[in-house]
Amino acid sequence: MAHAASAAHGADDAALEVLYLDDWLAVVDKPAGLMVHDSALARGETDFAADRLREQFGRPIFLVHRLDRATSGALLLAFDRDTAAALGQVMMSREVEKDYWAVCRGWPEPRFTVDHPLDGGPGKPQKKPAVTRFTRLATTELTVPSAGFETSRYALLCAQPETGRFRQIRRHLKHVSHHLIGDTSHGDGRHNRNFRMLGIHRMLLHARRLSFLHPVSGARIAVTAPLDAEFSRALALFEGFEP
Protein backbone atom coordinates (compact mmCIF):
# COMPACT_ATOMS: atom_id res chain seq x y z
CA MET A 1 0.00 0.00 0.00
CA ALA A 2 1.49 3.34 -1.06
CA HIS A 3 1.18 6.34 1.22
CA ALA A 4 1.36 10.06 0.59
CA ALA A 5 4.97 11.21 0.65
CA SER A 6 4.21 13.63 3.47
CA ALA A 7 3.07 10.84 5.78
CA ALA A 8 6.53 10.36 7.27
CA HIS A 9 7.77 13.92 6.92
CA GLY A 10 7.24 15.62 10.22
CA ALA A 11 8.06 19.07 11.45
CA ASP A 12 11.50 18.02 12.74
CA ASP A 13 14.22 19.89 10.85
CA ALA A 14 16.28 16.68 10.87
CA ALA A 15 13.63 14.83 8.84
CA LEU A 16 14.50 13.98 5.26
CA GLU A 17 11.99 14.69 2.51
CA VAL A 18 10.13 11.52 1.54
CA LEU A 19 9.77 11.10 -2.23
CA TYR A 20 7.99 7.72 -2.17
CA LEU A 21 6.63 5.56 0.65
CA ASP A 22 4.73 2.30 1.02
CA ASP A 23 4.61 -0.56 3.52
CA TRP A 24 7.83 -2.15 2.21
CA LEU A 25 10.16 0.61 1.09
CA ALA A 26 10.81 4.33 0.78
CA VAL A 27 12.82 6.73 -1.33
CA VAL A 28 14.08 9.84 0.46
CA ASP A 29 15.95 12.95 -0.63
CA LYS A 30 19.39 12.98 1.01
CA PRO A 31 20.89 16.46 1.28
CA ALA A 32 24.48 17.13 0.25
CA GLY A 33 26.87 17.03 3.21
CA LEU A 34 25.02 14.36 5.19
CA MET A 35 26.77 10.99 5.58
CA VAL A 36 24.53 7.99 4.93
CA HIS A 37 25.94 5.78 7.68
CA ASP A 38 28.88 5.42 10.05
CA SER A 39 32.08 4.14 8.44
CA ALA A 40 35.85 4.47 8.47
CA LEU A 41 35.41 7.69 6.48
CA ALA A 42 33.23 9.28 9.18
CA ARG A 43 36.18 10.78 11.12
CA GLY A 44 34.26 11.68 14.25
CA GLU A 45 30.99 12.54 12.50
CA THR A 46 27.89 11.82 14.59
CA ASP A 47 25.03 12.80 12.27
CA PHE A 48 24.00 10.08 9.81
CA ALA A 49 21.04 9.69 7.46
CA ALA A 50 20.47 6.11 8.66
CA ASP A 51 20.00 7.26 12.27
CA ARG A 52 17.70 10.10 11.25
CA LEU A 53 15.57 7.76 9.16
CA ARG A 54 15.16 5.16 11.92
CA GLU A 55 13.82 7.88 14.18
CA GLN A 56 11.78 9.51 11.42
CA PHE A 57 9.97 6.30 10.42
CA GLY A 58 9.94 4.82 13.93
CA ARG A 59 11.06 1.40 12.68
CA PRO A 60 14.17 -0.43 11.45
CA ILE A 61 15.47 0.62 8.04
CA PHE A 62 17.77 -1.22 5.64
CA LEU A 63 19.79 0.85 3.17
CA VAL A 64 19.67 -0.63 -0.32
CA HIS A 65 22.40 1.54 -1.84
CA ARG A 66 24.74 4.35 -0.82
CA LEU A 67 25.37 7.95 -1.80
CA ASP A 68 28.61 9.78 -1.07
CA ARG A 69 28.42 12.38 1.69
CA ALA A 70 28.76 15.23 -0.82
CA THR A 71 26.17 13.76 -3.22
CA SER A 72 22.50 14.68 -2.88
CA GLY A 73 19.35 13.02 -4.14
CA ALA A 74 17.29 9.85 -4.22
CA LEU A 75 18.22 7.27 -1.58
CA LEU A 76 16.39 3.91 -1.49
CA LEU A 77 15.69 1.97 1.69
CA ALA A 78 13.61 -1.00 2.81
CA PHE A 79 11.75 -1.73 6.04
CA ASP A 80 12.59 -5.45 6.32
CA ARG A 81 15.46 -7.74 5.37
CA ASP A 82 13.54 -9.70 2.73
CA THR A 83 12.55 -6.56 0.85
CA ALA A 84 16.08 -5.20 1.17
CA ALA A 85 17.50 -8.41 -0.30
CA ALA A 86 14.99 -8.37 -3.16
CA LEU A 87 15.74 -4.70 -3.87
CA GLY A 88 19.45 -5.49 -3.84
CA GLN A 89 18.87 -7.95 -6.67
CA VAL A 90 16.74 -5.39 -8.52
CA MET A 91 19.49 -2.76 -8.20
CA MET A 92 22.04 -5.11 -9.74
CA SER A 93 19.79 -5.95 -12.68
CA ARG A 94 19.29 -4.14 -15.97
CA GLU A 95 15.77 -3.21 -14.86
CA VAL A 96 16.91 -0.31 -12.69
CA GLU A 97 17.47 3.19 -14.08
CA LYS A 98 19.75 5.53 -12.13
CA ASP A 99 20.22 9.05 -13.47
CA TYR A 100 22.73 11.38 -11.83
CA TRP A 101 23.21 15.01 -12.82
CA ALA A 102 26.78 16.26 -12.75
CA VAL A 103 28.58 19.44 -13.74
CA CYS A 104 32.07 18.90 -15.16
CA ARG A 105 34.90 20.96 -16.60
CA GLY A 106 35.20 21.09 -20.38
CA TRP A 107 32.84 20.10 -23.17
CA PRO A 108 32.87 16.31 -23.62
CA GLU A 109 31.26 14.48 -26.52
CA PRO A 110 27.43 14.51 -26.59
CA ARG A 111 27.42 10.82 -25.60
CA PHE A 112 30.31 8.78 -24.25
CA THR A 113 30.95 5.72 -22.10
CA VAL A 114 33.75 5.24 -19.60
CA ASP A 115 34.73 1.58 -19.18
CA HIS A 116 37.53 1.71 -16.63
CA PRO A 117 38.05 -0.75 -13.72
CA LEU A 118 38.12 0.73 -10.22
CA ASP A 119 39.28 -0.48 -6.83
CA GLY A 120 36.94 -0.58 -3.85
CA GLY A 121 38.41 2.41 -2.03
CA PRO A 122 40.69 2.49 1.04
CA GLY A 123 41.80 -1.00 2.04
CA LYS A 124 40.20 -2.61 -1.01
CA PRO A 125 42.88 -2.60 -3.73
CA GLN A 126 41.30 -5.19 -6.01
CA LYS A 127 40.03 -3.59 -9.20
CA LYS A 128 36.66 -4.60 -10.62
CA PRO A 129 34.87 -3.71 -13.86
CA ALA A 130 33.20 -0.30 -13.80
CA VAL A 131 31.11 1.26 -16.57
CA THR A 132 29.33 4.63 -16.69
CA ARG A 133 27.34 6.04 -19.61
CA PHE A 134 27.23 9.82 -19.96
CA THR A 135 24.93 12.12 -21.93
CA ARG A 136 25.68 15.83 -22.30
CA LEU A 137 22.57 17.87 -21.41
CA ALA A 138 23.89 21.42 -21.76
CA THR A 139 27.07 23.50 -22.02
CA THR A 140 28.17 26.93 -20.86
CA GLU A 141 31.23 29.14 -21.24
CA LEU A 142 32.09 31.54 -18.44
CA THR A 143 34.26 34.63 -18.71
CA VAL A 144 36.76 33.26 -16.21
CA PRO A 145 40.37 32.62 -17.33
CA SER A 146 41.52 29.00 -17.30
CA ALA A 147 44.79 27.30 -18.31
CA GLY A 148 45.85 30.08 -20.67
CA PHE A 149 42.36 30.65 -22.09
CA GLU A 150 40.23 33.72 -21.47
CA THR A 151 37.15 31.63 -20.72
CA SER A 152 36.24 28.39 -18.95
CA ARG A 153 33.94 25.76 -20.40
CA TYR A 154 31.59 23.54 -18.40
CA ALA A 155 28.99 20.88 -19.17
CA LEU A 156 25.93 19.48 -17.44
CA LEU A 157 25.86 15.70 -17.76
CA CYS A 158 23.45 12.88 -17.07
CA ALA A 159 25.48 9.97 -15.73
CA GLN A 160 24.09 6.44 -15.71
CA PRO A 161 26.35 4.02 -13.83
CA GLU A 162 25.98 0.39 -14.88
CA THR A 163 28.04 -0.75 -11.87
CA GLY A 164 28.27 0.57 -8.33
CA ARG A 165 31.93 1.05 -7.48
CA PHE A 166 33.39 3.40 -4.87
CA ARG A 167 33.00 7.02 -6.06
CA GLN A 168 32.51 5.67 -9.57
CA ILE A 169 31.14 8.74 -11.37
CA ARG A 170 33.66 11.07 -9.76
CA ARG A 171 36.63 8.84 -10.61
CA HIS A 172 35.44 8.10 -14.14
CA LEU A 173 35.14 11.82 -14.87
CA LYS A 174 38.66 12.35 -13.58
CA HIS A 175 39.87 9.48 -15.79
CA VAL A 176 38.68 11.33 -18.91
CA SER A 177 39.88 14.75 -17.62
CA HIS A 178 36.38 16.16 -17.28
CA HIS A 179 36.63 16.60 -13.53
CA LEU A 180 33.48 16.95 -11.44
CA ILE A 181 32.98 20.48 -10.12
CA GLY A 182 33.22 20.78 -6.34
CA ASP A 183 34.95 17.41 -5.92
CA THR A 184 37.83 18.10 -3.53
CA SER A 185 39.21 14.53 -3.77
CA HIS A 186 39.17 13.84 -7.52
CA GLY A 187 38.38 17.23 -9.03
CA ASP A 188 40.33 20.25 -10.27
CA GLY A 189 40.93 22.90 -7.60
CA ARG A 190 41.11 25.79 -10.08
CA HIS A 191 37.64 25.11 -11.42
CA ASN A 192 36.26 24.41 -7.96
CA ARG A 193 37.44 27.90 -6.95
CA ASN A 194 35.66 29.42 -9.95
CA PHE A 195 32.36 28.04 -8.69
CA ARG A 196 33.01 29.00 -5.08
CA MET A 197 33.41 32.59 -6.26
CA LEU A 198 29.89 32.24 -7.68
CA GLY A 199 28.58 31.14 -4.29
CA ILE A 200 28.46 27.44 -5.21
CA HIS A 201 30.38 25.48 -2.58
CA ARG A 202 28.91 21.98 -2.86
CA MET A 203 30.00 19.08 -5.07
CA LEU A 204 27.78 19.15 -8.14
CA LEU A 205 26.59 15.54 -8.22
CA HIS A 206 22.90 14.79 -7.66
CA ALA A 207 21.01 11.48 -7.79
CA ARG A 208 18.23 12.99 -9.89
CA ARG A 209 16.05 10.02 -10.84
CA LEU A 210 15.56 6.44 -9.69
CA SER A 211 13.28 4.00 -11.51
CA PHE A 212 12.92 0.33 -10.57
CA LEU A 213 10.49 -2.57 -10.41
CA HIS A 214 8.80 -2.92 -7.03
CA PRO A 215 9.85 -6.31 -5.55
CA VAL A 216 6.36 -6.98 -4.14
CA SER A 217 3.83 -5.43 -6.53
CA GLY A 218 5.93 -5.65 -9.68
CA ALA A 219 4.93 -2.08 -10.57
CA ARG A 220 7.52 0.32 -11.93
CA ILE A 221 8.35 3.04 -9.42
CA ALA A 222 9.89 6.25 -10.77
CA VAL A 223 11.06 8.99 -8.42
CA THR A 224 12.67 12.36 -9.16
CA ALA A 225 14.63 14.21 -6.47
CA PRO A 226 14.39 18.02 -6.45
CA LEU A 227 17.47 20.24 -6.71
CA ASP A 228 18.73 22.26 -3.76
CA ALA A 229 19.45 25.98 -3.94
CA GLU A 230 23.16 25.69 -4.80
CA PHE A 231 22.67 23.11 -7.54
CA SER A 232 19.87 25.26 -8.95
CA ARG A 233 22.24 28.22 -8.94
CA ALA A 234 24.74 26.18 -10.93
CA LEU A 235 22.05 25.08 -13.35
CA ALA A 236 21.13 28.71 -14.00
CA LEU A 237 24.56 29.13 -15.63
CA PHE A 238 23.36 26.91 -18.49
CA GLU A 239 21.10 29.35 -20.28
CA GLY A 240 18.06 27.81 -21.89
CA PHE A 241 18.24 24.51 -20.01
CA GLU A 242 14.96 23.57 -18.34
CA PRO A 243 15.07 20.83 -15.66
Side-chain angles (χ1 to χ4, degrees), residues 95-206:
E95 297 297 329
V96 67
E97 298 172 9
K98 294 178 288 183
D99 292 353
Y100 290 76
W101 280 7
V103 176
C104 74
R105 64 173 291 272
W107 289 358
E109 295 297 315
R111 293 181 182 272
F112 63 102
T113 299
V114 180
D115 185 346
H116 177 68
L118 296 171
D119 61 36
K124 300 177 181 178
Q126 182 182 357
K127 291 190 175 183
K128 296 182 179 181
V131 178
T132 311
R133 292 181 288 115
F134 293 93
T135 302
R136 197 180 72 197
L137 301 178
T139 59
T140 191
E141 190 165 6
L142 305 183
T143 54
V144 180
S146 174
F149 296 96
E150 294 183 356
T151 61
S152 297
R153 291 179 169 183
Y154 301 100
L156 173 66
L157 306 176
C158 177
Q160 297 174 307
E162 294 185 1
T163 48
R165 309 303 175 211
F166 178 72
R167 295 180 177 176
Q168 177 171 314
I169 295 172
R170 301 163 61 177
R171 295 163 77 190
H172 272 176
L173 285 174
K174 178 183 179 181
H175 179 68
V176 294
S177 296
H178 287 291
H179 304 78
L180 180 70
I181 299 303
D183 186 347
T184 57
S185 299
H186 311 285
D188 185 315
R190 296 167 298 174
H191 293 281
N192 292 347
R193 285 192 293 274
N194 288 346
F195 275 73
R196 285 199 297 272
M197 289 192 305
L198 296 172
I200 301 166
H201 299 269
R202 60 158 294 179
M203 188 177 76
L204 293 177
L205 184 61
H206 177 67

Side-chain angles (χ1 to χ4, degrees), residues 206-227:
H206 177 67
R208 176 63 170 173
R209 180 176 178 273
L210 184 62
S211 176
F212 58 94
L213 295 179
H214 196 290
V216 178
S217 70
R220 176 157 289 277
I221 307 299
V223 179
T224 299
L227 302 172

